[in-house]
Amino acid sequence: MKKIAEILLDIEAVSLSPKKPFIWASGIKSPVYCDNRLILSFPEDRKIVEEELAKLIEEKFSDVEYIMGTATAGIPHAALVAEKLDLPMGFVRSSKKDHGKNNKIEGKIVKGAKVVVVEDLFSTGGSSIDVANALREVGFDVLGIVSIFSYQLKKAKENFEKNNLKHFSLASFDELAEVAVEKDYIKKEEIEKINKWKQNPEDESWMK
């Protein structure tokens, strides 16, 4: 959705830097960095994003009964969407707490409940799959996962297919690149470098 891609660029939730790449936690050098926490600081844009997320869930998963967020960036978006859809909400931690009840899943566990997971973005899909598997292990029926942005990496597509997970995003990498050129955030020749990175993020030859 180009409208969402434009919002992400305007509020700098997505940054493009082919000359000075960002370093992900995995060590991958990337010309693109997404931080959808920034959406929360812009009420009008936030309203649009959450409304579109709610519409996406209703369209793709009409029988949804429960919303789960991913820690930490997916939690506020999940809460806002659950409020719009008038559905129960919880979230899944990246690891169990080391105190109290040692919960990994926060919120009431309802075996058989049809769940949609809300994620802020998809890169390789690894963290999203971990969340889905944790929910499946305790008896939830995971319908799929939605995100605000997707890097559209081949590895993510493979991982989701391997784990039988339906996934949808409001804005794609390709839409973002198109808007970035149209609005002169970046030059067309620089997009070619970024596209080369997307084909294989572990291959650093795109920087040459």
Side-chain angles (χ1 to χ4, degrees), residues 195-208:
N195 279 328
K196 185 176 180 181
W197 166 84
K198 189 184 78 166
Q199 298 306 311
N200 183 6
E202 295 179 357
D203 180 1
E204 297 183 2
S205 64
W206 67 271
M207 291 189 291
K208 298 177 182 178

Side-chain angles (χ1 to χ4, degrees), residues 1-9 11 13-14 34-40 45-54 56-57 70 72-81 117-123 128 145-152 160 167-176:
M1 189 179 294
K2 289 180 71 174
K3 175 173 68 174
I4 301 300
E6 187 171 343
I7 286 173
L8 298 181
L9 285 166
I11 67 174
V14 173
C34 180
D35 180 6
N36 284 328
R37 296 174 183 85
L38 279 169
I39 296 169
L40 303 171
D45 295 321
R46 182 182 68 211
K47 183 178 179 181
I48 292 170
V49 170
E50 310 308 343
E51 284 178 349
E52 293 299 335
L53 269 178
L56 180 64
I57 291 170
T70 59
T72 57
I75 295 173
H77 298 292
L80 291 164
V81 168
V117 177
V118 174
E119 177 73 275
D120 67 317
L121 63 87
F122 296 144
S123 52
S128 302
I145 303 180
V146 297
S147 75
I148 298 167
F149 176 70
S150 172
Y151 285 98
Q152 289 182 295
F160 283 128
H167 60 289
F168 302 94
S169 297
L170 290 183
S172 68
F173 177 95
D174 290 343
E175 289 167 331
L176 187 108

Side-chain angles (χ1 to χ4, degrees), residues 3-205:
K3 175 173 68 174
I4 301 300
E6 187 171 343
I7 286 173
L8 298 181
L9 285 166
D10 285 347
I11 67 174
E12 297 183 344
V14 173
S15 301
L16 302 172
S17 181
K19 293 180 180 178
K20 189 178 180 182
F22 305 97
I23 300 178
W24 288 0
S26 62
I28 288 176
K29 293 178 182 177
S30 169
V32 187
Y33 185 75
C34 180
D35 180 6
N36 284 328
R37 296 174 183 85
L38 279 169
I39 296 169
L40 303 171
S41 300
F42 298 85
E44 290 303 315
D45 295 321
R46 182 182 68 211
K47 183 178 179 181
I48 292 170
V49 170
E50 310 308 343
E51 284 178 349
E52 293 299 335
L53 269 178
K55 287 179 185 176
L56 180 64
I57 291 170
E58 288 181 314
E59 176 188 341
K60 302 297 184 181
F61 308 106
S62 59
D63 54 345
V64 60
E65 299 172 327
Y66 209 127
I67 299 296
M68 279 285 179
T70 59
T72 57
I75 295 173
H77 298 292
L80 291 164
V81 168
E83 181 68 18
K84 289 184 178 296
L85 297 176
D86 193 25
L87 290 173
M89 176 265 176
F91 67 90
V92 183
R93 295 174 175 273
S94 56
S95 60
K96 289 183 179 181
K97 288 196 298 185
D98 59 3
H99 58 282
K101 293 184 178 180
N102 303 117
N103 291 346
K104 182 177 176 71
I105 297 171
E106 300 291 0
K108 185 174 177 60
I109 293 175
V110 183
K111 293 183 183 298
K114 293 178 170 58
V115 160
V116 171
V117 177
V118 174
E119 177 73 275
D120 67 317
L121 63 87
F122 296 144
S123 52
T124 63
S127 60
S128 302
I129 290 165
D130 287 344
V131 166
N133 288 339
L135 292 168
R136 285 169 168 169
E137 285 172 8
V138 297
F140 280 104
D141 179 5
V142 181
L143 301 180
I145 303 180
V146 297
S147 75
I148 298 167
F149 176 70
S150 172
Y151 285 98
Q152 289 182 295
L153 299 183
K154 181 181 178 182
K155 190 171 183 179
K157 183 180 178 181
E158 292 172 347
N159 285 339
F160 283 128
E161 288 177 353
K162 184 178 178 181
N163 287 272
N164 192 29
L165 273 173
K166 293 181 179 179
H167 60 289
F168 302 94
S169 297
L170 290 183
S172 68
F173 177 95
D174 290 343
E175 289 167 331
L176 187 108
E178 187 177 343
V179 172
V181 172
E182 288 175 359
K183 298 195 71 174
D184 204 29
Y185 281 103
I186 200 167
K187 301 302 179 185
K188 193 170 183 179
E189 56 269 23
E190 291 178 309
I191 285 295
E192 293 175 6
K193 291 181 69 175
I194 294 176
N195 279 328
K196 185 176 180 181
W197 166 84
K198 189 184 78 166
Q199 298 306 311
N200 183 6
E202 295 179 357
D203 180 1
E204 297 183 2
S205 64

